[in-house]
C-alpha cells in the first residue's frame, strides 16, 4: 500500500494593492475564488486552506476552498503559473464580500486578470 503524501499545509497569501486583488479575484466562481501564483503541483478538486492578508488589515482571513483552476508553468500568453481556489461556502460569503467591497466599481472593468 502506498503511503499518502503529506498534506500541503496552509497557503498564505498577502495582497496589498487593489490592482493585484483585481487580477487574482475570480468573481465568476460560485462563492468567489482567488488565483494564487505557485509552482507547486496541486490536483483539481484538492481541498486547501488559506490565510489571506488583504490590504492594510492586520487580521488574516481564514478561507477553506478547493482547486478549480490550474495554470501550468510555461503557459501561453506569459500567464503566471498557479492555481485557482474556489472558496467554500462555510464562511457564509465573508471572504467574497470583503474582497468585493475592496473592488467595488472595478468588477465591471474589462481589464484582464490572471484567469480570464
Amino acid at each position: 500500500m502506498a503511503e499518502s503524501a503529506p498534506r500541503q499545509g496552509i497557503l498564505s497569501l498577502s495582497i496589498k494593492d487593489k490592482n493585484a486583488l483585481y487580477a487574482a479575484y475570480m468573481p465568476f466562481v460560485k462563492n468567489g475564488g482567488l488565483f494564487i501564483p505557485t509552482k507547486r503541483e496541486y490536483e483539481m478538486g484538492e481541498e486547501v486552506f488559506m490565510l489571506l492578508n488583504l490590504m492594510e488589515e492586520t487580521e488574516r482571513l481564514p478561507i477553506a476552498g478547493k482547486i478549480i483552476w490550474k495554470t501550468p508553468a510555461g503557459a501561453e500568453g506569459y500567464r503566471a503559473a498557479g492555481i485557482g481556489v474556489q472558496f467554500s461556502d462555510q464562511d457564509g460569503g465573508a471572504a467574497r464580500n470583503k474582497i468585493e467591497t475592496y473592488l467595488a466599481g472595478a468588477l465591471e472593468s474589462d481589464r484582464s486578470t490572471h484567469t480570464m
Side-chain angles (χ1 to χ4, degrees):
M1 214 164 104
E3 190 177 10
S4 63
R7 288 189 48 81
Q8 300 279 351
I10 294 172
L11 293 162
S12 197
L13 184 64
S14 201
I15 299 179
K16 295 296 183 198
D17 95 20
K18 194 169 165 176
N19 289 333
L21 182 58
Y22 175 83
Y25 185 55
M26 300 166 67
F28 52 87
V29 172
K30 179 179 183 269
N31 299 326
L34 277 178
F35 178 82
I36 301 172
T38 180
K39 300 222 183 314
R40 190 187 286 167
E41 282 295 312
Y42 287 89
E43 295 301 315
M44 291 295 280
E46 186 175 335
E47 304 223 339
V48 293
F49 187 79
M50 61 183 148
L51 290 170
L52 175 62
N53 190 252
L54 277 179
M55 309 305 176
E56 303 305 314
E57 295 191 16
T58 50
E59 274 192 44
R60 297 193 296 178
L61 277 174
I63 305 169
K66 69 177 180 187
I67 310 296
I68 57 157
W69 181 286
K70 292 195 329 188
T71 302
E76 61 185 67
Y78 304 104
R79 290 195 178 276
I83 53 172
V85 177
Q86 176 183 17
F87 303 158
S88 84
D89 50 16
Q90 68 190 40
D91 75 348
R96 176 183 201 136
N97 292 341
K98 191 167 284 246
I99 289 170
E100 290 187 354
T101 298
Y102 278 116
L103 293 178
L107 291 175
E108 288 77 49
S109 166
D110 57 4
R111 292 194 326 253
S112 68
T113 68
H114 287 302
T115 52
M116 293 292 200

